[in-house]
Amino acid sequence: MKYDIAVVGGGPAGYTAALHGSSLGAKVVLFEENKPGGVCLNSGCIPTKTYLFQSELLEHIRLATEEGVFRDAGQYSFKKIYDRKNKVVEKLVSGVDGLLRTAGVTVVRESAVCKDAHTIVAGGETYKTKKLILATGSKNAVLPIDGITGRNVLDHVGALDLKRLPQRLVIIGAGVVGLELACVFSSFDVQVTLLEAMNDLLPNVDGEAVQFLKNNMKKTGICLELGVKVLSIADDGDGKRVTCEYADGKKEFMADYVISAVGRAPTNQIALNLGLKTDTKGFLAVNDRMQTSHADVYAAGDITGGYLLAHSAYAEAEIAVRNCLGEKEKVDLSVMPRCIFTMPTISEVGLNEAEARKAYQDIKTGKFPFAASGRAVSMGADSGFVKWIARADGSLLGCTIVGAPETSELISVAVVALQAHLKAEAFVPMIFPHPTLSESVKEGAMAVLGQALHVPNDTRRPEH
């Protein structure tokens, strides 16, 4: 069996490569021993966002109950929430299956063994290919902590498969995954302790947005412990005892379950077997055409390191496919939206304020608070802000949005602006619908110019 392109791995990068290759007329085979969709669809992005939707709904109901809008509201069935999460995943997995089938992609549900760049053995069959795309993804990293593999110590996959809510939960690692899980379980009335080795959260995210998130986590009862080294995890009756070291001594935390969320490691065995070049962390080295150290082997998605995001994987996969078919295109990830689905969600694109100040001598910022948005106030979401970063001439460099619902949707306005290399003044004639949250994105850009209408601005002057 001979193919133009063989893809190993059926996650966002893999199935996108298979679909795109087929759409361009290539004969494609995809190897995935598990369900298609990878971590994102089966045990990452989609199930966590399904839980987060229910969490946010609960928070709105609780707020309305406190205000007397509802009586005795806020009761919920975690079993129903769990079942709904599984149904959402099953529906989307089925959808990907259908897309691959309709596109005419040969899908092999077996573990793939790459004998060389052109020969793959799976399920007792041998497959030949002109080009190979590796999309084998990443896995949960494991720190050398005593007891990390013990009973009731879970990774994010195990955490999302809990059928009953624990009373107490300790999460090790306050990166994106740890933060999202902390917010989800806290909203479901679980006592959450979050342990982080660094002295602050999210070092590459806007400082004001991070502080806003920390304040909100404190209000919701999440115990955030920074500057912590986890020494050991041990059984203590039916629970777990986590021993930590601080600068000034040791401390213990009790939990029913412990979740390890300390980052991602590459699933790189095939790459190593093929002798492909990797970086110091084991991620596969690729050039700007997504080509590995072997001319006929390309890669996309988490295996290449970088952003470790599904939408970056989509873009990388499409470039890899077109170059497999003879093009010489370079991937452009310079305008990459980054969304952290905590409560509240933090969404960014381009440079944040600290990065811009480091890169340029003279920058301007424009900040619009959701407290000044009629739509946000009417929704009870009147905290947080939109912040634009621009050069002195108004050229937009980046945007951060935090606080209101669906900031991950609002950030797409900023994506378009940065991709088009707009200046803040380009927003002046634009008409946004009222009352909407998206108006705040325009008002933030107007604030760069000192022309925001719905906030006091001493720099605004009437035109003559």
Side-chain angles (χ1 to χ4, degrees):
M1 290 174 280
K2 296 182 179 180
Y3 293 87
D4 298 311
I5 300 174
V7 183
V8 181
Y15 78 72
T16 297
L19 291 172
H20 191 51
S22 182
S23 74
L24 296 177
K27 186 178 181 182
V28 182
V29 58
L30 172 67
F31 299 90
E32 174 54 67
E33 59 183 317
N34 299 309
K35 295 178 181 179
V39 170
C40 177
L41 177 48
N42 290 282
S43 56
C45 314
I46 298 302
T48 56
K49 296 344 166 247
T50 305
Y51 275 167
L52 278 165
F53 172 77
Q54 303 292 342
S55 300
E56 291 167 353
L57 184 60
L58 275 171
E59 291 301 315
H60 285 304
I61 291 172
R62 286 166 177 157
L63 177 61
T65 303
E66 291 174 5
E67 295 175 346
V69 176
F70 298 134
R71 286 185 181 177
D72 302 324
Q75 298 299 312
Y76 62 93
S77 167
F78 183 71
K79 182 181 184 305
K80 294 291 186 182
I81 293 173
Y82 175 84
D83 289 343
R84 182 179 183 277
K85 179 261 296 183
N86 288 341
K87 287 178 182 178
V88 168
V89 171
E90 289 168 8
K91 181 177 181 178
L92 293 175
V93 167
S94 176
V96 173
D97 259 333
L99 288 171
L100 292 167
R101 185 170 56 254
T102 303
V105 175
T106 299
V107 179
V108 180
R109 296 292 179 81
E110 302 284 351
S111 176
V113 177
C114 296
K115 296 296 184 180
D116 54 48
H118 305 283
T119 309
I120 301 143
V121 176
E125 300 286 341
T126 299
Y127 301 81
K128 289 288 187 176
T129 184
K130 295 177 183 177
K131 303 290 183 180
L132 174 64
I133 297 178
L134 296 181
T136 49
S138 64
K139 56 191 175 183
N140 198 57
V142 180
L143 291 180
I145 299 171
D146 185 29
I148 194 70
T149 60
R151 177 182 62 88
N152 291 348
V153 180
L154 312 172
D155 59 11
H156 73 279
V157 179
L160 293 170
D161 202 38
L162 284 171
K163 296 178 177 63
R164 294 182 180 180
L165 290 169
Q167 291 184 330
R168 304 163 302 172
L169 192 63
V170 167
I171 301 175
I172 303 173
V176 172
V177 174
L179 286 167
E180 290 185 2
L181 290 174
C183 290
V184 165
F185 282 104
S186 177
S187 72
F188 293 146
D189 305 306
V190 177
Q191 179 186 322
V192 176
T193 301
L194 188 56
L195 308 176
E196 170 56 48
M198 294 191 299
N199 292 320
D200 205 352
L201 299 180
L202 305 171
N204 297 320
V205 177
D206 179 85
E208 284 188 272
V210 171
Q211 189 58 53
F212 185 88
L213 173 61
K214 287 162 65 175
N215 292 343
N216 195 73
M217 290 171 64
K218 185 177 181 180
K219 289 178 184 176
T220 58
I222 296 173
C223 176
L224 177 61
E225 299 285 330
L226 299 172
V228 178
K229 180 181 179 181
V230 179
L231 299 177
S232 65
I233 306 168
D235 290 334
D236 192 309
D238 293 332
K240 307 294 290 187
R241 183 177 67 256
V242 182
T243 302
C244 301
E245 184 177 53
Y246 292 74
D248 57 354
K250 294 182 180 179
K251 189 174 180 179
E252 294 182 340
F253 298 93
M254 300 301 299
D256 301 307
Y257 288 89
V258 176
I259 298 175
S260 175
V262 293
R264 307 293 293 173
T267 307
N268 61 3
Q269 194 56 56
I270 290 176
L272 295 177
N273 291 345
L274 291 174
L276 302 176
K277 185 178 179 180
T278 61
D279 66 14
T280 55
K281 295 182 179 180
F283 290 101
L284 193 48
V286 293
N287 60 21
D288 55 12
R289 300 192 304 277
M290 306 313 298
Q291 187 179 43
T292 71
S293 54
H294 190 294
D296 291 333
V297 182
Y298 292 75
D302 283 11
I303 183 63
T304 65
Y307 284 104
L308 306 186
L309 297 169
H311 44 283
S312 62
Y314 296 151
E316 292 166 354
E318 291 181 9
I319 292 295
V321 165
R322 293 199 287 273
N323 289 331
C324 280
L325 297 178
E327 301 296 329
K328 295 187 181 298
E329 294 188 33
K330 296 180 180 181
V331 69
D332 180 7
L333 304 179
S334 60
V335 181
M336 180 60 60
R338 307 171 302 277
C339 302
I340 304 170
F341 292 88
T342 44
M343 295 176 64
T345 299
I346 300 175
S347 299
E348 290 190 316
V349 66
L351 301 180
N352 60 41
E353 183 175 355
E355 292 169 335
R357 292 193 184 282
K358 185 176 180 180
Y360 300 97
Q361 288 185 336
D362 193 7
I363 70 164
K364 298 194 292 186
T365 65
K367 189 174 174 183
F368 185 80
F370 284 116
S373 161
R375 179 60 171 163
V377 173
S378 71
M379 298 170 68
D382 53 347
S383 59
F385 56 85
V386 175
K387 182 198 288 188
W388 277 100
I389 314 298
R391 298 191 68 174
D393 66 354
S395 298
L396 296 171
L397 297 171
C399 183
T400 297
I401 311 177
V402 62
E406 304 300 340
T407 69
S408 57
E409 301 291 340
L410 297 178
I411 201 67
S412 294
V413 178
V415 171
V416 173
L418 291 184
Q419 192 72 46
H421 304 288
L422 297 184
K423 292 186 175 182
E425 63 192 41
F427 279 88
V428 174
M430 294 184 190
I431 300 173
F432 281 57
H434 176 79
T436 62
L437 296 174
S438 62
E439 290 176 294
S440 302
V441 181
K442 174 180 176 174
E443 290 264 14
M446 299 287 283
V448 171
L449 306 171
Q451 297 178 21
L453 295 177
H454 292 90
V455 290
N457 193 327
D458 294 337
T459 65
R460 187 171 65 237
R461 295 288 184 273
E463 295 183 6
H464 298 283

